[in-house]
């Protein structure tokens, strides 16, 4: 082999590697439909009931949900992805119809009926995963994926709120001490999901893309389920820019149980649920 050919061979190998590996940033959004509730205690009757964030606390049921996804495709068949979805909502209830109590870290919070209450519920979903192209052709790819979902949940209430230690609760009534605001933050353990994905280029620059992912797991006091099914058309705008229009079914349902150490009943049991069925738009850049 001629020594003068060695730089050309190396350049050819490097060029092949660059073409096979690419990094993509995708930005987009869709409208979510949310149904969020929490099991709390009625301080008058002492019975538990379901407090609905949308109907009782006036949080928006439909909200714009942005997302960002990063994808690194390497060694022809392998890819690593990271995406993030956000749903942040706040609302004011001028006259709360139902009083309720909830317990956070051995502290009882007593929220009275009739007063103004400002409520906040922020949900962020972070997903990290790995995919492998099992089948490849000149114009199609089909692969399997494995990922981890983590949910960051922040709840807040602002108003005239009674507070006492759980050991000081007497006849479901807290003492006279009042605070203006409470905040509770929960992070779910990473919950695994498994899926299948594929893409088919039916004409140059135009692809049909799809994926389906699912998980269901019970871990300590957390129970979670996710269903994510998407089918869309992806079009190349320029060499680096692409646009996607898809139809997506996306549902997340997570229960977080909070048990009082002094009682057999659950004082607060969060059920975080939101879903989306409809179109979504996104634009991506690869380099």
């Amino acid at each position: 082999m001629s020594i003068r050919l060695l730089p050309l061979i190396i350049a050819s190998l490097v060029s092949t590697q660059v073409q096979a590996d690419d990094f993509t940033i995708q930005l987009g959004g869709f409208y979510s439909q949310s149904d969020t509730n929490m099991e709390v205690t009625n301080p008058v009757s002492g019975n538990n009931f379901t407090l609905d964030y949308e109907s009782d606390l006036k949080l928006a049921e439909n909200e714009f949900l942005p997302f960002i996804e990063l994808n690194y495709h390497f060694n022809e068949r392998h890819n690593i992805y990271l995406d993030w979805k956000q749903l942040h909502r706040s609302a004011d209830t001028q006259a709360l119809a139902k009083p309720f109590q909830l317990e956070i870290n051995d502290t009882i919070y007593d929220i009275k009926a009739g007063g103004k209450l400002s409520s906040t519920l922020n949900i962020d979903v972070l997903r990290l995963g790995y995919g492998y192209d099992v089948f490849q052709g000149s114009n199609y790819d089909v692969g399997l994926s494995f990922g981890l979902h983590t949910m960051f949940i922040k709840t807040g209430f602002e108003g005239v709120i009674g507070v006492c230690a759980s050991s000081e609760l007497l006849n479901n009534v807290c003492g006279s001490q009042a605070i203006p605001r409470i905040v509770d933050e929960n992070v779910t353990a990473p919950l695994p999901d498994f899926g299948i994905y594929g893409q088919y280029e039916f004409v140059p620059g135009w692809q049909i893309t799809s994926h389906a992912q699912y998980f269901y797991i019970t871990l300590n006091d957390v129970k979670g389920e996710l269903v994510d099914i998407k089918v869309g058309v992806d079009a190349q705008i320029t060499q680096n820019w692409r646009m996607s229009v898809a139809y997506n079914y996306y549902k997340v349902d997570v229960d977080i149980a909070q048990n009082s150490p002094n009682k057999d009943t659950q004082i607060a049991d969060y059920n975080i649920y939101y879903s989306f069925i409809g179109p979504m738009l996104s634009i991506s850049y690869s380099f």
Side-chain angles (χ1 to χ4, degrees), residues 14 83 92 103 126 211 266-267 281 287:
V14 170
D83 69 39
D92 292 329
E103 179 175 353
L126 183 67
H211 74 242
Q266 294 179 347
I267 296 295
L281 298 173
F287 54 92

Side-chain angles (χ1 to χ4, degrees), residues 202-256:
F202 55 97
V203 296
W206 291 76
Q207 298 176 340
I208 296 176
T209 62
S210 63
H211 74 242
Q213 296 179 332
Y214 178 79
F215 82 70
Y216 180 86
I217 193 170
T218 300
L219 179 66
N220 296 329
D221 293 331
V222 177
K223 181 174 67 175
E225 181 181 34
L226 176 139
V227 179
D228 184 3
I229 302 172
K230 183 173 73 171
V231 178
V233 176
D234 184 273
Q236 185 172 5
I237 304 172
T238 66
Q239 182 178 357
N240 300 100
W241 290 95
R242 303 188 71 91
M243 178 174 288
S244 176
V245 178
Y247 193 85
N248 192 204
Y249 173 78
Y250 189 90
K251 183 188 78 170
V252 173
D253 193 352
V254 175
D255 291 328
I256 303 175

